Amino acid sequence: MSANASPMMPNVHFFDFTEESNPTNHPDHFHVLWQLSDVDQHPKRKSDDSEKWRGIFEGDLVVFSSLLSGAGEFEAVRFVGPKTTQLSPDGNEDDVLPLLTAGIEYPEFPTLIVSMAEERGVSLREMYEEPFNAILQSQPPKMSLFDIFSSDADAYKEFWDDVPVARRRRPPSDSPWQLSLGECIWIRTLDGKSLAGEQMGEEL
């Protein structure tokens, strides 16, 4: 499946790295842009369950749980940015998806994601509140985004009214690190439509 725009509510993909691709073995990778390549491939499977891989889309969230170090709940999360096309060394055009950092202790939104939401005519809260909650519920101590703001309703509202935008101070000094989707280990995916249904149920 090709990497087109996702539904309004993003999917959340949980991945792990192979030993060869794990960036903790290559610290320089954390100082450059990450790009997901071979986006039409299927990732490796963590188990032989019946869940079907349905693709990865612009606006989705990716979680590499092995990157959690205790620094913050969002250090393992990446936004899937807009697709770009690049020339490969053999002269072919290849699609890549940037994997953009999502903050450390609380979410920070890359300008590309802010622009994407504006183009779709939806708020960042509509797109990402429930996916973020789902991510937090998937890892100890099973908090919600509201909990991160000490259950302070005013602080939580202020966060969504004026979201923190992650602005890169300077361009990366080196070439992007390309991670092949085919070399990622897929654990599971939380479907955006299901998360949207949960949100509607809470509102009712």
Side-chain angles (χ1 to χ4, degrees):
M1 183 178 292
S2 61
N4 300 313
S6 70
M8 185 179 296
M9 185 75 76
N11 302 314
V12 181
H13 307 282
F14 292 83
F15 287 126
D16 202 352
F17 301 102
T18 62
E19 182 64 29
E20 295 77 15
S21 66
N22 195 323
T24 58
N25 298 326
H26 308 277
D28 289 347
H29 289 344
F30 290 99
H31 302 292
V32 299
L33 174 67
W34 290 14
Q35 292 179 334
L36 191 66
S37 61
D38 304 316
V39 294
D40 288 325
Q41 292 187 8
H42 284 213
K44 300 178 185 296
R45 301 183 72 92
K46 182 75 171 182
S47 61
D48 295 328
D49 60 31
S50 59
E51 186 177 359
K52 182 180 179 182
W53 174 251
R54 300 184 183 279
I56 187 165
F57 305 96
E58 298 170 353
D60 282 357
L61 290 166
V62 172
V63 183
F64 295 102
S65 298
S66 60
L67 295 181
L68 285 170
S69 69
E73 285 76 18
F74 291 91
E75 62 179 332
V77 182
R78 299 260 168 169
F79 291 99
V80 179
K83 179 181 66 177
T84 60
T85 301
Q86 298 184 345
L87 280 177
S88 65
D90 57 10
N92 294 322
E93 291 188 346
D94 293 332
D95 292 336
V96 296
L97 291 165
L99 299 178
L100 309 170
T101 55
I104 303 295
E105 297 180 5
Y106 56 84
E108 294 182 350
F109 295 87
T111 53
L112 288 172
I113 298 300
V114 175
S115 299
M116 181 186 299
E118 291 174 349
E119 291 170 3
R120 296 183 184 182
V122 296
S123 71
L124 290 167
R125 184 170 187 174
E126 288 175 304
M127 286 184 69
Y128 289 109
E129 184 176 31
E130 288 309 310
F132 282 151
N133 280 330
I135 291 170
L136 291 170
Q137 285 292 309
S138 73
Q139 60 196 35
K142 296 187 179 296
M143 299 192 299
S144 69
L145 193 57
F146 187 54
D147 294 330
I148 288 179
F149 291 87
S150 302
S151 300
D152 183 327
D154 290 337
Y156 190 62
K157 181 178 184 299
E158 182 179 349
F159 168 79
W160 285 116
D161 288 346
D162 187 18
V163 298
V165 178
R167 293 182 173 86
R168 187 181 292 278
R169 292 183 175 86
R170 54 187 172 82
S173 57
D174 296 313
S175 300
W177 174 49
Q178 289 201 353
L179 172 65
S180 171
L181 179 59
E183 291 301 313
C184 292
I185 301 172
W186 177 44
I187 301 171
R188 62 183 174 127
T189 291
L190 300 179
D191 182 76
K193 292 180 180 178
S194 298
L195 296 175
E198 291 175 8
Q199 181 183 48
M200 290 179 64
E202 291 172 1
E203 292 172 352
L204 292 174

